[in-house]
Amino acid sequence: GAVVSQHPSWVICKSGTSVKIECRSLDFQATTMFWYRQFPKQSLMLMATSNEGSKATYEQGVEKDKFLINHASLTLSTLTVTSAHPEDSSFYICSAETGLWETQYFGPGTRLLVL
Amino acid sequence: AQSVAQPEDQVNVAEGNPLTVKCTYSVSGNPYLFWYVQYPNRGLQFLLKYITGDNLVKGSYGFEAEFNKSQTSFHLKKPSALVSDSALYFCAAYNAGNMLTFGGGTRLMVKP
């Protein structure tokens, strides 16, 4: 089946630094990629939707200047957490789909710890 | 506001018995409904979705879900549980113009 990878799988950084997370669809072209955040109580929140070549659509309450998303190609989307703070520590998951409301394929997630 | 509720934090069932993981939603209009599963140390996996049509939707690994508009529910079911079904299950709902909203998750424990 379709595979989505994320890199890195985990990262520890100092407060104030920026962290980039990559999401790649390995064997298919993804028209749309999604970024989610998983909170300690394990609920998921959709952060943004990105389409190749266009600006990401952010969900209400998500700071677009803090969570920069770049969908550079049909197989790569990146999430950059800028000036990270401890409250940004979380589990970030990306997913990719080949068409509107087609099956979403999820990456393994990236655990971010900001000290 | 749109919301998805999974009223049970954990469901325990014996192997071979039927299982149900409950989900109710509050979405205006006609919702799109999804179930995802997260196995330990692995990413989320899509199980099934309801967009339109038959209220009973069949998905991966023998799971199915029934869309009930009057009860605003989309419960996940399987006739015979396996130990390997033990995982975290998420229900999600989407309505055009709103965000994709996930429930809080339900941990399914299937005991031998």
Side-chain angles (χ1 to χ4, degrees), chain B residues 6-101:
Chain B
Q6 294 180 242
E8 302 153 315
D9 290 336
Q10 181 161 318
V11 169
N12 298 309
V13 64
E15 187 174 31
N17 284 359
L19 70 86
T20 299
V21 182
K22 295 179 180 178
C23 172
T24 59
Y25 62 90
S26 175
V27 173
S28 60
N30 297 315
Y32 298 164
L33 301 164
F34 304 81
W35 275 102
Y36 298 93
V37 59
Q38 187 173 27
Y39 295 103
N41 300 317
R42 293 175 63 180
L44 285 169
Q45 294 181 40
F46 169 85
L47 274 181
L48 51 81
K49 66 181 177 184
Y50 171 84
I51 303 296
T52 186
D54 194 347
N55 289 344
L56 184 63
V57 179
K58 294 187 182 297
S60 306
Y61 311 118
F63 284 92
E64 58 187 28
E66 186 168 12
F67 170 63
N68 188 318
K69 189 173 184 178
S70 63
Q71 297 184 3
T72 61
S73 67
F74 190 57
H75 301 331
L76 181 70
K77 300 181 179 183
K78 187 174 182 179
S80 178
L82 301 173
V83 173
S84 57
D85 292 330
S86 299
L88 191 59
Y89 290 81
F90 291 95
C91 180
Y94 177 85
N95 172 267
N98 292 281
M99 69 173 70
L100 180 63
T101 304

